[in-house]
Amino acid sequence: MYSRILAGGRTGPHSLPLARIKKIMKKSGDNVNMISGEAPIVFSKACELLIEELTRRSWMVAMQRKRRTLHKEDVVSAVIATDIFDFLVNLVSEDSTTPIDLTPVEREKLEF
Amino acid sequence: MADNRGNKLSIREGFKYHFDGASSTASGEDAALKEQDQLQLPIANVGRIMKQILPPNAKISKEAKETVQECVSEFISFVTGEASDKCHREKRKTVNGDDICCAMATLGFDDYGEPLRRYLDRYRELEEERAQQGKFCNTEEKNMKHGLVNVGTFGG
């Protein structure tokens, strides 16, 4: 993993563009003044972890539904089923797609 | 297109510059532009990370990628908000790496804390090494850089 830090690349050594992360941070509220150089770097890793967790959970839902293609509804279900993703519930639900709630069995299987 | 300090703006930023805080009549247009202007991380990067987690025969719909992409932006805002509130309460002006780690723990992402702190420590170590390199002369520096690049993974 750390070879990436040394080798560099188009987005710098991190897999997500730091400048873009910084812009998103700046837009997040009035309180945000100065941002240290490290903060976007921590986020680049944190976002990677988030994407991984969200994907893993969504995939479990897709598998329970006997599919090998990840669909939006799987992501929505994973968000709804995971406590720490509560802050995302409104975001993923605010669409034409009706959020699909998990059955108790599916929900239990997602607990890990 | 440039702002009044003569800095070059991208066309996109130019629109933002003109429409933000505009009290003009085209409020519908404003809303539409703001919608488009929602900052996201590049979908290609997001998709790549998703793919790495899934088995090789798995497919990902475009909508699923877009949804995850939106979640990431929201995550950044959410955590940054918490971190900057704390800085504000403690009368500090700059949000740093530790503030982000702290905010994540507060918001329930304790599992991320350990790998993040390790990543941050490692990054700081490497930055320190890079700073040390600067003390060598140019040739030495070039050799060092090449040496480092060949090292490969540190694991973790």
Side-chain angles (χ1 to χ4, degrees):
Chain A
M1 167 179 98
Y2 297 111
S3 61
R4 273 193 281 145
I5 299 180
L6 298 171
R10 259 183 311 140
T11 57
H14 313 280
S15 58
L16 295 165
L18 300 178
R20 190 77 63 88
I21 291 175
K22 194 168 180 181
K23 281 193 190 149
I24 298 174
M25 288 179 74
K26 287 210 162 240
K27 273 182 90 178
S28 64
D30 296 325
N31 268 349
V32 188
N33 299 318
M34 301 185 58
I35 298 172
S36 88
E38 291 177 337
I41 285 163
V42 175
F43 263 126
S44 76
K45 182 64 180 165
C47 291
E48 216 178 288
L49 294 173
L50 179 86
I51 294 170
E52 288 172 357
E53 183 171 5
L54 198 41
T55 304
R56 228 177 272 128
R57 289 174 178 270
S58 307
W59 180 246
M60 289 183 69
V61 178
M63 280 202 297
Q64 284 164 22
R65 294 171 179 166
K66 310 269 195 284
R67 276 189 276 101
R68 303 243 108 199
T69 301
L70 202 64
H71 284 304
K72 174 177 172 166
E73 64 203 45
D74 306 321
V75 180
V76 175
S77 298
V79 163
I80 292 174
T82 311
D83 285 341
I84 55 168
F85 292 160
D86 274 354
F87 72 99
L88 295 171
V89 170
N90 287 337
L91 176 73
V92 300
S93 310
E94 74 191 13
D95 254 337
S96 48
T97 321
T98 321
I100 297 170
D101 239 334
L102 297 174
T103 64
V105 177
E106 285 177 325
R107 183 178 275 271
E108 202 184 285
K109 287 199 179 141
L110 254 199
E111 237 114 276
F112 63 93
Chain B
M1 195 171 284
D3 65 13
N4 51 19
R5 275 176 290 153
N7 295 324
K8 267 193 185 168
L9 294 174
S10 66
I11 301 285
R12 232 171 145 207
E13 283 176 319
F15 274 125
K16 255 175 74 176
Y17 192 80
H18 286 125
F19 282 89
D20 269 0
S23 56
S24 69
T25 51
S27 57
E29 262 174 22
D30 282 1
L33 270 165
K34 276 199 173 131
E35 188 85 58
Q36 282 172 31
D37 234 356
Q38 246 264 277
L39 280 175
Q40 310 281 15
L41 295 175
I43 196 154
N45 300 52
V46 173
R48 199 179 312 130
I49 297 169
M50 290 177 76
K51 207 160 174 251
Q52 283 167 0
I53 284 289
L54 298 175
N57 63 344
K59 293 199 169 70
I60 310 170
S61 80
K62 182 166 172 266
E63 261 199 327
K65 278 188 219 174
E66 285 167 350
T67 304
V68 173
Q69 189 192 27
E70 286 167 17
C71 288
V72 180
S73 294
E74 191 71 18
F75 172 69
I76 294 172
S77 297
F78 185 52
V79 175
T80 302
E82 174 67 30
S84 72
D85 280 350
K86 181 167 189 270
C87 284
H88 192 72
R89 287 194 300 269
E90 295 172 4
K91 312 238 193 285
R92 282 184 293 115
K93 289 210 177 116
T94 308
V95 177
N96 62 33
D98 291 317
D99 293 326
I100 303 298
C101 289
C102 239
M104 277 194 232
T106 306
L107 296 171
F109 294 91
D110 335 272
D111 287 343
Y112 294 12
E114 179 66 31
L116 282 180
R117 277 180 221 275
R118 268 188 284 138
Y119 190 77
L120 187 53
D121 285 344
R122 197 52 165 172
Y123 169 76
R124 284 168 174 165
E125 264 176 53
L126 290 165
E127 280 299 287
E128 183 58 39
E129 277 171 31
R130 280 215 183 98
Q132 294 298 324
Q133 271 183 65
K135 292 179 183 171
F136 288 106
C137 70
N138 277 343
T139 340
E140 293 266 51
E141 199 180 324
K142 273 186 202 152
N143 292 338
M144 282 283 286
K145 273 189 183 162
H146 280 119
L148 275 175
V149 165
N150 286 333
V151 151
T153 58
F154 283 101

